[in-house]
């Protein structure tokens, strides 16, 4: 998909290049099946070659796509994620990324602009002072990581559905795509983007997001696994094509709904 | 070879007199379940290793899926096999009256008696079509564990859409422990089950050919 290559405001290009090296998938990780004893046991049980690497991997991806479809139907726009009292919030909240906290992107808030694109009426970029003026909503919800652990956090920001309305987004479009300062990216389905708890998050625990928690913007989606909650967001596009995402492209289930 | 020559009485006299112990649907669902369980447990161990609940991890050599993403793909593919096969098995087990006649009643006194006899090596296996009290308890118990592992699994998979189910298991974190405990009891069952099937090989034959 063609994307403008102009520099993203507030992002240190040198650091971006440094981080880009980490984005290359580890080759061994792409083979889910190599040298696995359990698979050998399966092969001898079935007596046929269903566990031939690429064949099995393709079959698993087909079923994963089917699971996307199932999850989209299980998803309800009105079912809310359970909420908790502020006293349940984990403090300090757990930092999590595929890099160390020291390597998290440093975004300059003074020059930062949230870039808007795709199927929207008003493509004007947004500065942080402009975003901080918008009506604030708050939630205390559980962030569930794909690894299995979870943590309760308190997030404040703009309801994403309100923001989409404000910029005149075509909500009949299928996807919303997010680009992040360190090169991370994420695509979510429009029904999830319009869920009342999906938030363009500016604060954690009523304080402006710190570098560790995704300054200046995190998209908080309590109906999806943590990796579908992008941090350090620099651009948002409303579109009809699925642009994938950092982890989805390496094999995590696309919908990853909760 | 003529049809007459292939008559059961002349080829396999044993088979003709032996009663049918496991009908076809039991044998088919049993082995599909064995395959599904292997895939679910193997991939489940790999998923556990990404964020262990206890102070140990499963050796990657016995886990399925190479890394977390692969294990999750296996887990959420094999779950369909496990659940659909399980629904067929339970439906037929109830509809044919097999569960009621084979597994119940389970009397505690008989369980103790048969357990002691088993430890002394004096438990008879003359009639494979009749389960002793320990067998009844274990088979009913593993069916219950199967139900718990599926429901706790759904509550971990969809803690928002099925929040009430997650709440039933004591919340997301507790549901993970319940899921793990159910896996542990099923693995313990498999060890005993496979060991006994090997000690009494005709029971293994019955689960393959039916008699």
């Amino acid at each position: 998909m063609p994307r403008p290559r102009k520099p993203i405001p507030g992002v240190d290009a040198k650091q971006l290049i440094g981080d880009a090296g980490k984005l290359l998938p580890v080759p061994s990780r792409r083979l889910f099946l190599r040298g696995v004893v359990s698979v050998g046991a399966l092969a001898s049980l079935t007596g046929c070659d269903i566990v031939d690497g690429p064949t099995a991997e393709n079959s698993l991806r087909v079923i994963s796509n089917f699971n996307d479809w199932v999850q989209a139907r299980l998803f309800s726009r009105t079912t809310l994620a359970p909420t908790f009292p502020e006293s349940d919030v984990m403090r300090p909240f757990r930092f999590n990324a595929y890099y160390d906290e020291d390597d998290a992107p440093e975004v300059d808030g003074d020059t930062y602009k949230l870039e808007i694109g795709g199927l929207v009426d008003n493509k004007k970029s947004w500065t942080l002072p402009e975003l901080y003026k918008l009506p604030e909503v708050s939630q205390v919800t559980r962030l569930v990581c794909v690894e299995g652990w979870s943590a309760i956090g308190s997030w404040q920001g703009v309801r994403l559905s309100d923001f989409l309305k404000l910029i005149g987004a075509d909500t009949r479009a299928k996807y919303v795509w997010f680009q992040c300062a360190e090169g991370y990216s994420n695509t979510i389905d429009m029904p999830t983007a319009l869920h009342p708890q999906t938030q363009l998050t500016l604060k954690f625990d009523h304080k402006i997001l710190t570098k560790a928690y995704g300054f200046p913007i995190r998209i908080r989606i309590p109906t999806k696994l943590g990796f579908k909650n992008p941090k350090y967001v620099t651009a948002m596009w409303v579109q009809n094509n699925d642009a994938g995402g950092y982890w989805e492209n390496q094999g995590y289930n696309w919908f990853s709904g909760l | 070879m003529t049809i007459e020559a292939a008559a059961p009485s002349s080829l396999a006299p044993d088979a003709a007199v032996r009663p049918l112990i496991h009908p076809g649907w039991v044998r088919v669902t049993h082995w599909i379940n064995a395959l599904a369980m292997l895939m679910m447990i193997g991939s489940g161990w790999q998923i556990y290793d990404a964020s262990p609940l206890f102070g140990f991890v499963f050796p990657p050599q016995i886990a399925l899926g190479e890394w977390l993403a692969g294990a999750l793909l296996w887990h959420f593919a094999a779950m369909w096999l496990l659940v659909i096969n399980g629904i067929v098995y339970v439906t037929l087990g109830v509809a044919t009256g097999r569960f009621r006649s084979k597994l119940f009643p389970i009397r505690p006194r008989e369980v103790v008696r048969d357990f002691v006899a088993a430890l002394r090596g004096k438990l008879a296996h003359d009639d494979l079509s009749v389960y002793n009290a320990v067998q009844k308890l274990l088979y009913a118990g593993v069916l219950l564990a199967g139900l718990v592992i599926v429901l706790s699994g759904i509550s971990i998979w969809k803690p928002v859409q099925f929040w009430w189910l997650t709440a039933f298991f004591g919340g997301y974190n507790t549901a993970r422990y319940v899921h793990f405990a159910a896996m542990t009891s099923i693995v313990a069952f498999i060890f005993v089950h496979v060991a006994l099937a090997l000690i009494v090989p005709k029971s293994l034959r019955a689960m393959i050919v039916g008699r």
Side-chain angles (χ1 to χ4, degrees):
Chain A
M1 176 185 27
R3 294 237 166 255
R5 285 282 168 190
K6 62 182 176 180
I8 304 163
V11 176
D12 181 349
K14 265 188 199 157
Q15 192 191 348
L16 194 57
I17 293 163
D19 287 333
K22 299 192 188 81
L23 304 187
L24 297 170
V26 183
S28 67
R29 283 187 162 181
R30 301 209 63 103
L31 297 163
F32 301 148
L33 313 157
R34 201 182 46 194
V36 178
V37 172
S38 305
V39 170
L42 291 182
S44 57
L45 258 181
T46 58
C48 61
D49 197 21
I50 59 156
V51 286
D52 158 58
T55 313
E57 197 162 319
N58 287 340
S59 311
L60 290 176
R61 283 181 191 276
V62 168
I63 300 171
S64 189
N65 294 342
F66 168 70
N67 287 339
D68 286 338
W69 179 85
V70 171
Q71 292 177 94
R73 262 133 208 90
L74 283 177
F75 176 80
S76 158
R77 286 270 299 277
T78 51
T79 301
L80 298 181
T83 54
F84 302 86
E86 295 268 357
S87 54
D88 285 358
V89 172
M90 183 192 209
R91 300 183 178 95
F93 196 72
R94 180 170 173 166
F95 170 81
N96 193 58
Y98 55 87
Y99 41 75
D100 294 332
E101 192 167 338
D102 290 343
D103 298 329
E106 193 97 50
V107 178
D108 181 355
D110 295 335
T111 58
Y112 173 87
K113 278 185 172 176
L114 173 66
E115 202 184 324
I116 304 291
L119 304 169
V120 294
D121 291 337
N122 187 353
K123 293 183 183 162
K124 141 195 150 48
S125 297
W126 288 72
T127 64
L128 285 177
E130 288 169 337
L131 289 168
Y132 291 142
K133 278 185 207 137
L134 296 174
E136 185 179 281
V137 290
S138 179
Q139 63 171 278
V140 179
T141 49
R142 183 186 296 278
L143 183 132
V144 178
C145 180
V146 66
E147 293 175 338
W149 58 268
S150 71
I152 293 169
S154 165
W155 289 274
Q156 292 75 38
V158 186
R159 185 176 280 138
L160 188 63
S161 64
D162 291 346
F163 187 70
L164 288 168
K165 210 176 291 169
L166 188 64
I167 61 174
D170 180 0
T171 53
R172 292 165 306 173
K174 284 174 157 167
Y175 306 105
V176 181
W177 175 84
F178 299 99
Q179 173 71 55
C180 307
E182 80 279 48
Y184 194 83
S185 67
N186 220 218
T187 310
I188 62 166
D189 51 299
M190 184 60 80
T192 297
L194 297 176
H195 186 275
Q197 286 173 313
T198 300
Q199 192 186 85
L200 192 154
T201 297
L202 301 162
K203 296 176 184 170
F204 182 84
D205 212 6
H206 303 278
K207 291 182 280 287
I208 301 247
L209 287 172
T210 58
K211 180 178 130 175
Y213 304 147
F215 178 82
I217 293 178
R218 163 167 232 185
I219 305 299
R220 173 68 188 127
I221 310 176
T223 58
K224 283 198 190 291
L225 288 173
F227 80 90
K228 299 281 293 191
N229 289 233
K231 294 179 280 196
Y232 319 106
V233 171
T234 54
M236 181 178 92
W237 291 64
V238 176
Q239 56 194 40
N240 274 314
N241 59 316
D242 172 16
Y246 176 79
W247 284 116
E248 295 86 331
N249 297 351
Q250 294 181 58
Y252 283 159
N253 173 262
W254 187 89
F255 195 91
S256 285
L258 291 175
Chain B
M1 189 182 287
T2 63
I3 305 278
E4 292 89 298
S9 55
S10 63
L11 263 187
D14 284 0
V17 290
R18 270 195 234 122
L20 182 70
I21 296 163
H22 300 307
W25 65 267
V26 170
R27 285 175 278 144
V28 169
T29 53
H30 172 272
W31 291 111
I32 291 176
N33 184 64
L35 179 72
M37 277 293 182
L38 257 177
M39 293 194 283
M40 291 304 275
I41 292 167
S43 57
W45 288 350
Q46 185 86 260
I47 296 166
Y48 166 95
D49 285 358
S51 180
L53 293 170
F54 304 100
F56 69 92
V57 292
F58 293 97
Q61 293 83 7
I62 58 165
L64 183 61
E66 190 77 8
W67 69 295
L68 179 59
L72 288 165
L73 289 180
W74 275 106
H75 211 66
F76 294 126
M79 72 173 181
W80 295 112
L81 189 63
L82 183 82
V83 167
I84 293 168
N85 183 66
I87 288 171
V88 169
Y89 171 73
V90 170
T91 304
L92 288 171
V94 172
T96 60
R98 184 180 167 89
F99 284 173
R100 199 184 45 222
S101 65
K102 292 267 184 191
L103 301 183
F104 298 98
I106 301 170
R107 297 196 177 89
R109 186 184 303 224
E110 291 174 12
V111 171
V112 173
R113 182 197 67 201
D114 289 351
F115 184 68
V116 171
L119 289 183
R120 287 176 173 169
K122 286 182 179 164
L123 198 57
H125 290 286
D126 300 335
D127 185 356
L128 286 177
S129 66
V130 178
Y131 292 156
N132 63 59
V134 176
Q135 275 179 304
K136 286 180 183 177
L137 183 69
L138 286 180
Y139 292 150
V142 81
L143 277 174
L144 181 67
L147 182 69
V148 170
I149 208 161
V150 168
L151 293 180
S152 61
I154 291 172
S155 79
I156 298 170
W157 186 44
K158 292 283 164 271
V160 172
Q161 304 309 327
F162 300 128
W163 58 271
W164 43 271
L165 188 62
T166 314
F168 172 78
F169 283 107
Y172 178 82
N173 285 334
T174 311
R176 288 182 69 203
Y177 285 94
V178 173
H179 199 57
F180 187 92
M183 178 280 294
T184 307
S185 55
I186 290 172
V187 169
F189 170 86
I190 292 172
F191 270 106
V192 174
H193 184 62
V194 171
L196 293 180
L198 295 176
I199 292 171
V200 188
K202 64 181 177 180
S203 67
L204 181 60
R205 182 193 61 205
M207 191 47 87
I208 297 169
V209 300
R211 293 171 197 275

